[in-house]
Amino acid sequence: MLVVTLGVYALIITSDPDAAPAYLWLPVLGLAITAVIGSMRGEICMTGETLRLRAFPFWTFTIPVNRIQAVEVTSVDAFADFLGIGLRIGQGGAVGIIMRSGPALAITADSAKRYIMVLPEPEKWQERILESRAADI
């Protein structure tokens, strides 16, 4: 995004140098968008009987453990499965918190809503969620 906005700005100032101050907002916008995208990260935490998935700094999904129907370990190709990185909507309406390709945790809630999050060790989270579910039953 930064390269695109800087490229457009460069084209503008080379064609009309007097217009450069009027279009200074373009590289500033590019820097701002790059900073926001660069600060995004996925976080998962479990507090008591609640699982929280976050696409920091904007979105948080809170799922009560007793509403989780299935927890699976899967593999995600960010661009083939979700057409990119960040908070994405995949096939079947699955909500993906995808910061890279790799092993992921797929959580299905009782509303048939599916959440997929790429994690370094999804097996450990799967075990932890299943243990919490078993204790809740």
Side-chain angles (χ1 to χ4, degrees):
M1 183 53 108
L2 182 60
V3 171
V4 170
T5 56
L6 289 177
V8 170
Y9 186 68
L11 288 172
I12 290 170
I13 63 171
T14 56
S15 66
D16 185 9
D18 294 333
Y23 290 96
L24 192 57
W25 60 270
L26 262 170
V28 172
L29 178 66
L31 284 170
I33 291 172
T34 302
V36 168
I37 291 171
S39 70
M40 283 190 73
R41 64 182 183 273
E43 297 175 350
I44 183 172
C45 68
M46 183 176 273
T47 54
E49 299 173 358
T50 304
L51 179 68
R52 186 174 317 147
L53 305 173
R54 294 183 68 196
F56 183 83
F58 299 110
W59 298 279
T60 300
F61 303 96
T62 303
I63 310 164
V65 172
N66 62 357
R67 296 189 64 202
I68 295 174
Q69 295 298 311
V71 182
E72 305 165 286
V73 174
T74 187
S75 182
V76 169
D77 181 323
F79 290 93
D81 298 333
F82 287 91
L83 302 176
I85 59 172
L87 181 67
R88 313 297 287 188
I89 303 298
Q91 292 179 343
V95 175
I97 300 173
I98 312 297
M99 299 303 157
R100 60 180 170 74
S101 295
L105 191 64
I107 301 160
T108 305
D110 62 359
S111 61
K113 189 71 173 175
R114 193 155 188 229
Y115 301 90
I116 300 174
M117 184 171 192
V118 176
L119 299 167
E121 297 176 330
E123 297 85 5
K124 289 184 179 181
W125 279 101
Q126 179 187 31
E127 183 178 318
R128 186 171 174 194
I129 293 167
L130 291 175
E131 286 173 1
S132 181
R133 262 185 52 203
D136 188 54
I137 294 175

